[in-house]
Amino acid sequence: MTAAARTPGAGSAGDSAVPARRSDQTRAAILTAARERFAADGYERATIRAIATDASIDPAMVMRYFGNKEKLFAAAAEFDLRLPDLSELPRDQLGAALIEHFLDRWEGDDTLMALLRASVTNQAAADRMRQLFMGQLGPAIAKLTGGGPDTAVRAGLVATQSLGLALCRYVLALGPVAEMPRAAVVAWLTPTIQHYLTSPDPTTSPR
């Protein structure tokens, strides 16, 4: 009698793990190929077919795992906002430093801009953008607030300025905002960002 006969179902757990491992490996291969292709070609020029070729799989498999290009991009996107350590900056220069930084990031990273464009119409990309901003901006601002209860609100309000500016200036190309010189953008938005970062919480401060 063979070992398999003596032990009914022997090896079934290992066998069932094989498809799971293969699925994980396929997914990882697609994500690796997508990151490299998006970085090399940008969002618009990268294609599902090219990504599938890089991953040595059929394009249908990419669609099976991720559904469409926007969802794949959202899953593959790994962004670092590269936020400065706000606690090391002069307090009265925080607003200007942060808006300058965001302008640099929006203007210097095509894939970050692609994520913004995709987030306007795609829920997966929108979720990724929320995670990106709140996961990185929140902790940066917590260094200023000591992790106070209004930290998330301040981070969210700063995000409204950065994301709103990027949407109007670079995606919608809203005339007056798109054509505004960079120095003017900084001059207009600095007081607002500074207010969000350093002013007392108006809902708790005495009037």
Side-chain angles (χ1 to χ4, degrees), residues 52-184:
T53 298
D54 293 344
S56 300
I57 60 173
D58 189 276
M61 291 296 290
V62 178
M63 304 300 287
R64 173 184 169 187
Y65 278 88
F66 295 98
N68 57 41
K69 187 169 115 172
E70 287 182 333
K71 290 180 181 180
L72 172 59
F73 180 67
E78 291 183 335
F79 295 109
D80 184 354
L81 293 178
R82 303 173 195 164
L83 293 166
D85 186 343
L86 300 178
S87 64
E88 294 184 354
L89 299 175
R91 195 167 182 82
D92 62 349
Q93 297 177 23
L94 289 171
L98 203 51
I99 194 61
E100 288 269 17
H101 178 79
F102 278 128
L103 284 169
D104 287 341
R105 293 298 289 121
W106 290 122
E107 294 171 1
D109 192 331
D110 290 340
T111 54
L112 182 59
M113 188 60 62
L115 180 63
L116 176 64
R117 291 191 183 96
S119 69
V120 175
T121 58
N122 182 270
Q123 188 60 50
D127 290 342
R128 186 70 185 90
M129 184 64 83
R130 280 193 290 271
Q131 294 166 4
L132 172 66
F133 264 77
M134 299 314 294
Q136 297 183 34
L137 189 57
I141 291 179
K143 290 187 175 183
L144 296 178
T145 65
D150 60 357
T151 297
V153 172
R154 291 178 187 272
L157 290 171
V158 170
T160 67
Q161 298 302 303
S162 176
L163 291 170
L165 170 65
L167 184 65
C168 291
R169 186 173 173 86
Y170 305 114
V171 178
L172 300 178
L174 187 63
V177 177
E179 297 164 8
M180 187 182 296
R182 180 183 174 117

Side-chain angles (χ1 to χ4, degrees), residues 150 154 195 199-207:
D150 60 357
R154 291 178 187 272
H195 174 74
S199 293
D201 183 344
T203 65
T204 59
S205 301
R207 295 181 180 274

